[in-house]
Amino acid sequence: MAVDGSHYRYEVLGEGYASRRRPEARIAALIHSALGDAKTVLNVGAGAGSYEPADRAVIALEPSRGMIAQRLPSAAPAVQGIAEHLPFAAASFDAVMAVLTVHHWSEPARAFRELRRVAPRCVILSYEPDRSRRFWLVADYLPAIGELEEGRPTVDQVAEGIGATRIIPIPIPFDCADGFLGAYWRRPEAYLDPTVRRAISSFGLVPPEAVQEGISRLAADLDSGEWHRRYAHLLDRDSIDLGYRLIVAE
């Protein structure tokens, strides 16, 4: 099987996913509900296995050998492959799920067709690229991450691609257990931790000097109190809408 070279980024970018990218229970409940009565599920871009339902027959598809190696022995069986070329016959599954992976697909439109080919129900957790660019971490400290969002599929494009029947907003709780990019919106000190950053692919996709410069400015603003003065309005919030959406085709 030929896998596009871009999909091998996670051989080095996926460090720490098994420990830092734990499923957030409130998001997991929404994903599992959206899967409906599906008994067989394909998890595309499965990573270390977060959000895979334990009460259904799941097959994981993941391009990175490094990510597959992080999966627990108890996790669903994994196949190496990519969303654009699913190695399964038509209607092989009751449902297909994809969690925070669409932005890594090299040919999203082709991948959307593949998802619909192998399952009648699609459940995708994605985000609005423009909202990501406006997130304080990106807008104020790491605009290079915002540049990555250029050309990535919007929520509406994902919805059109899979023929979505529902788009569900996903508010991000202040104590989110899953350490994706927006998870620490009320815990800015977390971004200073290199182990946190290593479990967020965006940090590995921009020049290291841009990361160092932005993180140094964030550290200085935290020390001086400038961040807290600027974002005091966030500190009383229990959750926030950062543009994450669950997109469901039934």
Side-chain angles (χ1 to χ4, degrees):
M1 177 196 65
V3 178
D4 185 274
S6 64
H7 291 280
Y8 283 112
R9 290 168 175 169
Y10 274 93
E11 302 298 347
V12 293
L13 298 184
E15 182 183 346
Y17 264 58
S19 60
R20 289 287 182 180
R21 300 300 295 272
R22 303 184 306 276
E24 165 53 50
R26 287 156 285 194
I27 296 175
L30 292 170
I31 292 172
H32 296 176
S33 176
L35 290 171
D37 60 359
K39 294 180 174 60
T40 57
V41 179
L42 174 65
N43 185 15
V44 174
S50 291
Y51 301 105
E52 291 173 359
D55 59 345
R56 313 173 197 230
V58 178
I59 297 293
L61 182 117
E62 166 58 42
S64 164
R65 290 188 298 269
M67 292 300 297
I68 291 173
Q70 293 189 55
R71 297 175 64 84
L72 296 174
S74 59
V79 175
Q80 189 179 18
I82 60 175
E84 295 86 349
H85 302 280
L86 296 179
F88 305 101
S92 294
F93 302 90
D94 297 329
V96 59
M97 58 184 283
V99 177
L100 297 178
T101 182
V102 168
H103 53 289
H104 292 300
W105 296 351
S106 59
E107 298 179 81
R110 182 169 187 166
F112 298 146
R113 292 193 296 270
E114 281 287 272
L115 268 58
R116 292 312 306 262
R117 181 181 66 80
V118 301
R121 179 184 293 265
C122 295
V123 177
I124 295 179
L125 177 58
S126 191
Y127 63 89
E128 198 63 73
D130 186 57
R131 294 290 290 273
S132 177
R133 284 191 289 265
R134 287 183 281 152
F135 175 40
W136 64 258
L137 175 71
V138 177
D140 291 353
Y141 300 100
L142 288 159
I145 290 179
E147 293 172 7
L148 298 175
E149 304 296 351
E150 294 294 335
R152 286 178 171 173
T154 66
V155 167
D156 285 344
Q157 287 171 335
V158 176
E160 181 179 1
I162 65 170
T165 52
R166 289 188 289 157
I167 299 176
I168 305 168
I170 304 291
I172 307 304
F174 76 95
D175 56 352
C176 185
D178 187 352
F180 49 78
L181 182 66
Y184 306 100
W185 59 270
R186 213 184 86 174
R187 296 170 286 169
E189 295 84 0
Y191 295 110
L192 307 183
D193 184 344
T195 66
V196 166
R197 299 198 300 272
R198 281 197 291 270
I200 300 173
S201 63
S202 298
F203 284 101
L205 296 174
V206 299
E209 58 272 20
V211 174
Q212 184 58 51
E213 192 274 337
I215 293 300
S216 295
R217 286 195 293 110
L218 174 58
D221 283 355
L222 289 170
D223 285 342
S224 70
E226 176 61 25
W227 187 94
H228 290 83
R229 285 190 291 272
R230 191 180 303 163
Y231 293 107
H233 63 282
L234 296 179
L235 301 179
D236 293 328
R237 301 281 299 273
D238 291 331
S239 65
I240 192 171
D241 184 355
L242 293 175
Y244 291 87
R245 300 289 184 266
L246 194 63
I247 305 158
V248 184
E250 300 166 301

